[in-house]
Amino acid sequence: MLITNMEVPWKLPHIILPKPASSSMRPQGAVRRGAIKSTLKEELQEKSDGSSEKGDEVGEEKLSPEEESASEPVNLEVIGTNTGPTMFRLPSQDSLSGENTVSEEMLAEEARKKSKEEEAAAKERAAQRQQLAIEELVQSERNYLRMLQICSVDIRSSLQQLQPPLANLDRLFLYIEDVMEVSSRLLSLLDRRPSGEPQFLQTLCDSFLSLSSDIEAAYKEYLAYYNQISIVENSYKQKEALWNEIVRIIKASAPEVNASSLSFFLVMPVQRIARYPLLLQTIQKHTDTSHPAFKLLEKTALTSIALNCRINEYKRFREVADKYKKTETLTIKDKINRLNPHSIAKKTARFSQQLKHETGIKPKLVDEEFDAFEGFFNILEHGILVLLENVETYLLHLQRFLDCRTEEFDLDMDGEKSPICYKEITTALRQWILPTFEKRMRTLIHKPLCALRDLLVGPRNLIRKRLDKLLDFEMIESKSTLSYDEQAVANTYRTINTLLLNELPRFNGLALQMIWSMLGTFSCMHKDLAADMEQLFQSFAQQLPHSHLHPSAFWEWAESAVLESAKKLQTVCQNVEDTLNAPVVQPLSPSSQRRLKQLTDKHGSGKIYQVASTVVGSRDLDLNLARGELVAILSEADTRGDKRRWLVDAGGRRGYAPSSKLIRYHQAMEDPPPSPHLIVPLDVTGKRRHSYTPESQPMPMRVVRQPYFQVIAAYDFTARGNHEVSLRVGEPVCVLEPYDKRGNREWSLVEAISGQRGYVPSNYLSMKPVEARPPGFVF
Amino acid sequence: MSVTSHHSFCLSRIPFKIGQPKKQIVSKTVERDFEREYEKLQKLEDQTKKLHKDMKKSTDADLAMSKAAVKISADLLSNPLCEQDQAFLDSITALDTAMKRMDAFNQEKVNQIQKTVIDPLKKYSGVFPSLNMAVKRREQALQDYKRLQSKVEKYEEKEKNGPAMVKLHQAKEELRPVKEDFEAKNQQLLDEMPKFYQSRIDYFQPSFEALIRAQVVYFTEMYKIFSELTDQIDQGGLTDEQRQRETEAKLTELRALSIVADD
């Protein structure tokens, strides 16, 4: 007894102030200790002997609260035989575990008396301990939150000022704010009542229970993410100078604690969540079962355990998922290095298993439910990728459209309404309407789509990994006993499969919803754009000169106006070409005219050239030629094939002349004699297509000298209808148009000497140079 | 004369050096008028070509954008995703119908713009080569004129004996048609250039009106189509911020799934 009594004060500080490290290391132990309403002694025993019967029994109790409460009366009964109806755990247990063999009445009486005193003292002590335990919870929560604040506010802001900026700094503090928030909410609930009050326990439990789901949510993410925090911190540790600087900041920011790393603070939530069960159970242990809040406290303690279990479960799933969902970015070298007999054997086995499936040797393990989810995921993935690609194409063309600065022209029409309106409209739509639309398109559709695409990677990799593991699993499935490794393979498969079955439908559903709402947004954006544009265009359209016209009337007017203008333009074009492109023709002397006739008769008009400047022959058979002399070309090369020396006929004399000094003798451009030998250059035909419009050929300034030519009929022609005119051979005619109404050059409109007009075949006409000018028939 | 030195049609083809005649052939005023009118035309040519090019590019981009929008809905409609959910299929079908109608209206708009804006612009640009050629011919004629004029002047300065008189007569005979030719061409251009320049206003007026009217029709129709569609497939009246928040919430929910890799 003395021993136990002495043990109490010795043990007390240990229970009330468990070291964070040990409590987080053994949460299960702590749970068990709390769940058994054990005495200190028992606890000691249990600590030394983990496999005690009591421990096992309570292990079951922990699972179901009902069972636990059922076992309580039994406990009470046992205790009741020695201590009476009021149960004091500490002394009663003492008497059970102590030497019960003391049987003297006196001693018993004394013991009874003593136990009454002790009872009172123990009651007092228990109340004190309970109070201490409660305060421990509240106080440690307060300290804990303060540490987190130091870390996430003071230290973080100092770290943010480091130059160069720390990489991934924000990742260190990713979920800590949620944890702090839930902690401060808990504290503020607790602060509503002083901790000394008897009802405080009730408040404590209520607060904890009301926040338990929030606590779980906040710590779940923090714990699952904690590995990343360690990775980031380790990356800082790699750089010594940087790390020293970080440590200096830590020490300066929190001098009261002996912290030398960030994880000193950042690990606290990990420890804290595991500590709640321990703290609650300690309180429970020092709380009388008759206490009004006892049941609630019990429930709270159990909740805190269940919460830890779920967090651990979540963490485990996340770890498996994290292991396989990431796409590994390995270089080929890394991949080769990774190849080892084990991995090769694994891959070969999977491959052969797959072959067996394909060839039908072995039946495939079919999971219809999973296959449906996977199928949906596949088409969803395809849909997202195609949609994203199309949206990008759309944005690209939109950008191209925006790049066309169609308002930047200056046709010197600034007095006119319509070009000004057009410029103003285009400026507005290029500078704000469409850019706004594009920005919305990017934020509301393109960006979320990109994010969605990135999220596809995880499930995609897990699905792939599931198949690998399934193949492994199939091979060992039939075995009756599994080795440790095989057990691990089976477990991995089951975990991945469960994970996917649980989460893939949710993923699919959410992603589909996102696409759906994006399309709604897309439509709405088009509506808004159309509304803006319509308003803009409409407001300007009303100012236009033809705004009063109905659409159909307007388009009729616009199209005919455009056609009319085009015709006028054609006329201008024709005038310019006809009149200004005509070459100057020098009058010919009578002797030259004679030679022209002689040469034309002999060689045809196409062969006539004029000498550009005086030629003095230097070689055999070269001719001396005067400037302006006319010659006919016999051959465009000399006997040796030299294309620079042409053989010419200079009206009787024949010989060579340098081709560079000869220029084609141009006859009248407007009405080239439509002789059968005349080759009409193609481009001229093209340009002249519309020139048969009579009014298109007003040539007011025509002063060009014409050669003295007379067009005559080369053969007799008899008109076949009244649109043709009959001609006699040699009859002089006046060519009115060297083509018919459709521009066909095979027919010419002529006026005969009789004054009759009509068409004749162009190749029936010839021409001859004339000495005198017969009035009215000269061209 | 200064014209030849800074104009684009500067003649490189003149085979021999021209003697400068003493007589002033074209008055400074005329030459200045000519230069001014021609410069205006050259600027008009540049601007017309630029506008034509920009209009064509912008129309092409407009068409491509409309086709891309059609492809967005058409590809979704052909995705088996639609077979999974009738309501989703209905939405996509409605979207696709709207896109195709929009594209049809766009095509009509573009056709009208092609007919009333782009084609006329192209035709207008097509006149400039003829004008430039005419200006070049005038310049050639001017050079010929100068050459012969200085030749005549040379003989006039010489002794008036028999052979010289014959040569003078011949030179004068040669000069006459060349002089007339130049004067005709010069006058023609001085008349035609301002007339042509002035014609741009009446010429382009209908084009710009048509350009605006075509879009009014298009956007009026587009508004009708998309109002209807939005009522059908969009949850009404959300602000962009609400939409962003909603999307962000969904993304957060997705990221919270263990199977999703978040980084």
Side-chain angles (χ1 to χ4, degrees):
Chain A
M1 290 239 242
L2 264 174
I3 296 166
T4 28
N5 281 345
M6 279 179 71
E7 266 179 27
V8 174
W10 172 79
K11 196 77 181 73
L12 204 57
H14 182 64
I15 299 161
I16 294 169
L17 302 163
K19 287 206 172 71
S22 70
S23 59
S24 69
M25 293 301 279
R26 293 193 55 209
Q28 292 299 326
V31 167
R32 198 183 286 155
R33 271 183 285 161
I36 326 158
K37 286 152 236 2
S38 61
T39 59
L40 292 171
K41 182 106 186 250
E42 255 182 1
E43 194 188 331
L44 265 178
Q45 281 176 342
E46 199 201 311
K47 271 196 139 183
S48 57
D49 179 15
S51 62
S52 77
E53 253 184 42
K54 202 80 180 173
D56 286 346
E57 185 192 314
V58 178
E60 282 165 20
E61 262 180 30
K62 188 182 74 180
L63 291 174
S64 72
E66 293 85 357
E67 227 176 278
E68 187 194 19
S69 51
S71 68
E72 247 174 89
V74 183
N75 231 346
L76 276 171
E77 248 180 293
V78 174
I79 297 157
T81 49
N82 275 332
T83 54
T86 333
M87 193 203 78
F88 301 106
R89 308 205 129 216
L90 205 72
S92 66
Q93 285 287 18
D94 276 349
S95 59
L96 274 173
S97 56
E99 293 104 315
N100 277 343
T101 48
V102 181
S103 58
E104 285 115 294
E105 294 269 315
M106 219 169 69
L107 275 174
E109 181 57 31
E110 203 180 308
R112 203 166 289 127
K113 209 175 142 194
K114 203 173 178 181
S115 77
K116 261 200 180 147
E117 282 166 23
E118 271 178 15
E119 209 174 272
K123 204 171 179 180
E124 181 68 16
R125 275 200 300 275
Q128 269 177 9
R129 286 187 202 119
Q130 184 203 40
Q131 186 56 36
L132 279 172
I134 289 172
E135 271 172 15
E136 161 68 6
L137 190 148
V138 178
Q139 202 50 51
S140 60
E141 185 73 28
R142 231 183 280 284
N143 278 335
Y144 160 68
L145 182 59
R146 201 171 59 82
M147 285 298 155
L148 292 189
Q149 274 160 348
I150 287 174
C151 179
S152 73
V153 179
D154 302 352
I155 297 181
R156 185 182 186 182
S157 65
S158 303
L159 291 179
Q160 271 164 346
Q161 278 155 25
L162 279 184
Q163 284 301 331
L166 282 171
N168 299 325
L169 184 61
D170 288 342
R171 295 177 66 172
L172 281 181
F173 302 100
L174 194 58
Y175 293 107
I176 203 162
E177 266 150 33
D178 298 341
V179 168
M180 283 164 64
E181 197 246 5
V182 80
S183 168
S184 69
R185 272 166 64 199
L186 179 65
L187 276 172
S188 71
L189 286 177
L190 296 179
D191 282 345
R192 288 199 294 203
R193 215 177 255 280
S195 61
E197 265 185 40
Q199 290 89 348
F200 185 75
L201 189 59
Q202 171 93 29
T203 311
L204 173 72
C205 295
D206 286 343
S207 308
F208 193 89
L209 286 175
S210 70
L211 286 175
S212 72
S213 59
D214 292 344
I215 292 175
E216 182 180 336
Y219 281 87
K220 187 168 93 167
E221 293 306 331
Y222 192 90
L223 264 67
Y225 187 71
Y226 187 71
N227 278 345
Q228 295 294 317
I229 295 180
S230 309
I231 290 168
V232 173
E233 195 184 14
N234 285 335
S235 75
Y236 295 160
K237 284 184 184 164
Q238 301 297 314
K239 295 162 203 153
E240 208 184 321
L242 176 72
W243 182 246
N244 289 338
E245 186 61 17
I246 293 175
V247 171
R248 192 191 60 74
I249 287 171
I250 295 169
K251 290 197 185 295
S253 305
E256 70 272 36
V257 291
N258 189 22
S260 59
S261 66
L262 289 168
S263 50
F264 176 88
F265 298 100
L266 293 172
V267 78
M268 282 178 177
V270 180
Q271 299 166 337
R272 184 70 194 171
I273 190 66
R275 218 177 144 194
Y276 286 125
L278 186 71
L279 289 164
L280 287 166
Q281 283 160 357
T282 311
I283 299 171
Q284 192 185 355
K285 197 166 63 192
H286 300 302
T287 303
D288 195 291
T289 41
S290 61
H291 191 284
F294 186 81
K295 286 264 186 257
L296 191 64
L297 178 60
E298 202 170 21
K299 189 181 163 204
T300 311
L302 286 171
T303 304
S304 73
I305 294 161
L307 195 139
N308 268 293
C309 291
R310 283 196 298 273
I311 290 176
N312 277 345
E313 180 81 350
Y314 178 75
K315 226 180 117 181
R316 193 175 67 82
F317 271 85
R318 281 291 291 262
E319 275 163 11
V320 174
D322 285 344
K323 187 173 168 195
Y324 296 113
K325 73 191 175 187
K326 293 211 171 102
T327 313
E328 283 181 298
T329 44
L330 294 175
T331 62
I332 293 173
K333 206 176 153 195
D334 287 338
K335 281 185 182 163
I336 292 170
N337 286 340
R338 275 222 186 162
L339 283 179
N340 54 45
H342 175 67
S343 74
I344 292 169
K346 224 162 74 177
K347 292 214 159 76
T348 324
R350 281 176 194 164
F351 185 65
S352 72
Q353 184 75 14
Q354 205 159 18
L355 268 181
K356 284 175 194 161
H357 287 159
E358 304 290 329
T359 50
I361 294 172
K362 268 194 179 173
K364 213 163 158 179
L365 203 68
V366 180
D367 184 341
E368 277 178 12
E369 196 189 5
F370 179 83
D371 289 347
F373 294 149
E374 191 199 342
F376 192 97
F377 177 81
N378 287 339
I379 53 176
L380 183 74
E381 183 182 35
H382 179 250
I384 291 171
L385 295 180
V386 170
L387 181 61
L388 180 61
E389 195 187 314
N390 288 339
V391 166
E392 276 171 356
T393 314
Y394 183 85
L395 283 169
L396 182 85
H397 291 307
L398 177 59
Q399 194 55 55
R400 270 180 56 210
F401 185 79
L402 281 171
D403 288 342
C404 298
R405 299 156 185 267
T406 47
E407 79 281 13
E408 285 181 7
F409 61 88
D410 179 13
L411 295 177
D412 190 15
M413 285 172 78
D414 287 349
E416 301 303 313
K417 197 84 203 163
S418 49
I420 293 175
C421 286
Y422 176 72
K423 279 188 181 190
E424 284 180 22
I425 290 170
T426 313
T427 309
L429 77 88
R430 271 197 55 234
Q431 286 179 1
W432 63 268
I433 297 183
L434 282 175
T436 309
F437 176 74
E438 191 199 5
K439 212 177 133 218
R440 290 181 78 196
M441 185 92 180
R442 288 200 188 275
T443 25
L444 299 178
I445 294 179
H446 184 252
K447 217 178 102 201
L449 262 180
C450 287
L452 194 54
R453 175 201 55 196
D454 294 344
L455 297 184
L456 291 168
V457 179
R460 163 61 50 221
N461 287 340
L462 275 178
I463 287 172
R464 201 174 294 140
K465 208 68 209 172
R466 176 194 168 273
L467 179 65
D468 284 351
K469 296 289 170 192
L470 174 64
L471 294 173
D472 295 348
F473 176 69
E474 280 180 342
M475 284 183 281
I476 57 168
E477 198 195 8
S478 49
K479 289 190 187 171
S480 51
T481 52
L482 296 177
S483 71
Y484 179 78
D485 281 349
E486 287 167 339
Q487 193 67 52
V489 166
N491 278 341
T492 314
Y493 163 71
R494 288 199 190 98
T495 307
I496 295 180
N497 200 47
T498 314
L499 206 55
L500 284 171
L501 279 177
N502 284 343
E503 294 194 345
L504 205 52
R506 183 92 195 107
F507 184 93
N508 290 344
L510 280 168
L512 187 67
Q513 275 177 28
M514 276 187 72
I515 296 177
W516 206 337
S517 66
M518 260 180 233
L519 296 175
T521 308
F522 190 57
S523 167
C524 180
M525 279 166 49
H526 271 81
K527 182 184 109 179
D528 295 347
L529 175 72
D532 287 349
M533 293 287 233
E534 190 198 355
Q535 197 189 13
L536 176 74
F537 277 98
Q538 194 76 62
S539 66
F540 281 100
Q542 281 159 4
Q543 305 172 19
L544 297 176
H546 295 83
S547 59
H548 58 280
L549 288 180
H550 234 260
S552 59
F554 173 81
W555 289 110
E556 211 171 286
W557 167 78
E559 282 171 27
S560 66
V562 161
L563 274 182
E564 188 111 335
S565 302
K567 268 187 203 158
K568 277 187 196 156
L569 204 61
Q570 199 64 48
T571 312
V572 171
C573 208
Q574 196 58 52
N575 276 356
V576 168
E577 278 188 24
D578 284 353
T579 332
L580 292 163
N581 293 355
V584 196
V585 179
Q586 288 283 344
L588 294 175
S589 65
S591 64
S592 295
Q593 284 171 20
R594 268 197 303 277
R595 182 178 295 177
L596 178 65
K597 180 182 166 3
Q598 180 198 347
L599 292 176
T600 309
D601 288 350
K602 208 162 164 187
H603 305 286
S605 59
K607 299 273 187 189
I608 312 297
Y609 279 71
Q610 194 163 28
V611 179
S613 64
T614 309
V615 175
V616 181
S618 55
R619 290 159 67 180
D620 278 352
L621 298 171
D622 273 0
L623 290 178
N624 287 337
L625 295 168
R627 200 175 103 81
E629 217 174 312
L630 292 172
V631 297
I633 302 300
L634 299 171
S635 160
E636 288 186 3
D638 68 6
T639 45
R640 289 184 199 155
D642 187 348
K643 297 230 156 110
R644 288 167 304 176
R645 283 174 94 212
W646 286 359
L647 185 63
V648 300
D649 175 357
R653 292 181 299 146
R654 289 186 178 196
Y656 293 109
S659 60
S660 58
K661 299 256 171 101
L662 299 176
I663 40 176
R664 183 81 183 268
Y665 180 65
H666 288 282
Q667 321 216 347
M669 276 291 280
E670 282 81 9
D671 295 309
S675 87
H677 312 290
L678 192 74
I679 300 143
V680 182
L682 279 171
D683 59 337
V684 174
T685 341
K687 281 175 195 158
R688 287 172 153 259
R689 212 162 50 229
H690 300 283
S691 62
Y692 53 87
T693 320
E695 61 272 25
S696 74
Q697 279 188 302
M699 296 166 199
M701 302 309 296
R702 192 159 68 187
V703 282
V704 178
R705 259 320 133 99
Q706 304 295 334
Y708 300 93
F709 271 53
Q710 176 61 57
V711 178
I712 53 160
Y715 315 95
D716 281 339
F717 176 67
T718 311
R720 292 170 300 174
N722 55 9
H723 59 284
E724 292 174 359
V725 66
S726 298
L727 296 176
R728 301 292 308 272
V729 62
E731 183 181 337
V733 296
C734 173
V735 178
L736 302 170
E737 286 178 359
Y739 32 70
D740 68 10
K741 282 189 171 143
R742 277 169 297 175
N744 186 352
R745 294 192 158 274
E746 283 171 15
W747 291 87
S748 294
L749 182 66
V750 300
E751 188 177 321
I753 215 156
S754 59
Q756 262 190 301
R757 290 179 175 200
Y759 286 96
V760 293
S762 300
N763 56 5
Y764 275 54
L765 299 175
S766 182
M767 62 170 187
K768 63 170 193 192
V770 287
E771 301 288 340
R773 306 170 65 173
F777 291 93
V778 170
F779 290 85
Chain B
M1 293 280 250
S2 62
V3 188
T4 50
S5 60
H6 66 248
H7 269 247
S8 58
F9 50 85
C10 178
L11 297 173
S12 54
R13 300 203 318 160
I14 299 166
F16 42 81
K17 182 131 172 71
I18 313 152
Q20 287 299 318
K22 293 198 176 93
K23 182 188 162 192
Q24 194 185 32
I25 289 176
V26 190
S27 78
K28 283 232 164 71
T29 335
V30 170
E31 197 61 52
R32 251 201 316 273
D33 284 355
F34 185 88
E35 272 180 56
R36 197 182 48 236
E37 288 302 323
Y38 188 53
E39 266 166 22
K40 273 158 81 180
L41 282 185
Q42 282 178 311
K43 192 184 162 206
L44 185 61
E45 180 182 7
D46 288 347
Q47 293 296 317
T48 314
K49 278 184 180 159
K50 178 177 157 21
L51 186 57
H52 176 238
K53 211 175 99 194
D54 285 345
M55 280 290 178
K56 227 170 113 49
K57 260 168 65 185
S58 136
T59 313
D60 285 350
D62 192 4
L63 274 177
M65 206 159 84
S66 186
K67 296 278 177 252
V70 172
K71 195 165 183 299
I72 287 179
S73 63
D75 281 353
L76 275 172
L77 194 60
S78 64
N79 190 303
L81 209 53
C82 293
E83 293 159 19
Q84 310 283 324
D85 189 330
Q86 185 59 40
F88 187 69
L89 174 65
D90 292 346
S91 291
I92 302 292
T93 311
L95 179 74
D96 192 51
T97 312
M99 288 300 177
K100 289 203 169 100
R101 284 180 65 203
M102 178 190 77
D103 189 48
F105 278 111
N106 194 52
Q107 189 62 58
E108 197 182 313
K109 173 189 84 177
V110 167
N111 288 347
Q112 272 170 336
I113 290 178
Q114 181 74 38
K115 222 183 320 181
T116 53
V117 183
I118 297 178
D119 288 348
L121 271 167
K122 193 179 174 194
K123 275 188 190 142
Y124 202 76
S125 317
V127 176
F128 292 100
S130 306
L131 278 172
N132 289 333
M133 186 49 83
V135 171
K136 205 166 164 183
R137 288 275 152 81
R138 171 199 175 267
E139 190 58 29
Q140 274 173 339
L142 178 62
Q143 295 307 329
D144 280 351
Y145 182 13
K146 281 181 183 169
R147 180 174 53 80
L148 290 171
Q149 177 65 35
S150 69
K151 194 170 161 191
V152 168
E153 282 170 12
K154 199 177 81 190
Y155 289 127
E156 275 174 343
E157 280 163 18
K158 284 194 176 164
E159 267 184 82
K160 305 278 187 289
N161 57 21
M165 287 303 281
V166 172
K167 282 196 173 162
L168 178 63
H169 177 73
Q170 274 177 357
K172 276 187 174 169
E173 278 296 296
E174 217 181 331
L175 174 64
R176 196 164 39 85
V178 171
K179 180 171 178 264
E180 282 170 4
D181 178 53
F182 168 74
E183 278 166 356
K185 283 177 172 160
N186 191 40
Q187 195 53 51
Q188 171 88 5
L189 277 174
L190 282 173
D191 287 348
E192 290 284 354
M193 287 197 298
K195 267 200 311 206
F196 179 69
Y197 190 74
Q198 193 55 34
S199 75
R200 80 200 183 282
I201 291 174
D202 286 342
Y203 188 87
F204 286 122
Q205 191 81 28
S207 292
F208 286 112
E209 267 197 72
L211 199 49
I212 297 170
R213 289 285 290 254
Q215 315 249 24
V216 172
V217 176
Y218 171 67
F219 285 113
T220 308
E221 293 301 333
M222 188 168 151
Y223 182 71
K224 275 188 222 153
I225 293 170
F226 282 100
S227 295
E228 208 176 290
L229 179 69
T230 304
D231 289 346
Q232 203 178 338
I233 69 166
D234 189 37
Q235 357 161 217
L238 289 184
T239 65
D240 283 8
E241 287 69 33
Q242 283 168 322
R243 287 178 198 276
Q244 260 174 290
R245 268 202 297 278
E246 216 168 84
T247 309
E248 209 38 64
K250 290 219 181 72
L251 284 172
T252 311
E253 208 175 325
L254 281 171
R255 287 197 187 100
L257 294 175
S258 306
I259 57 170
V260 171
D262 51 343
D263 38 18

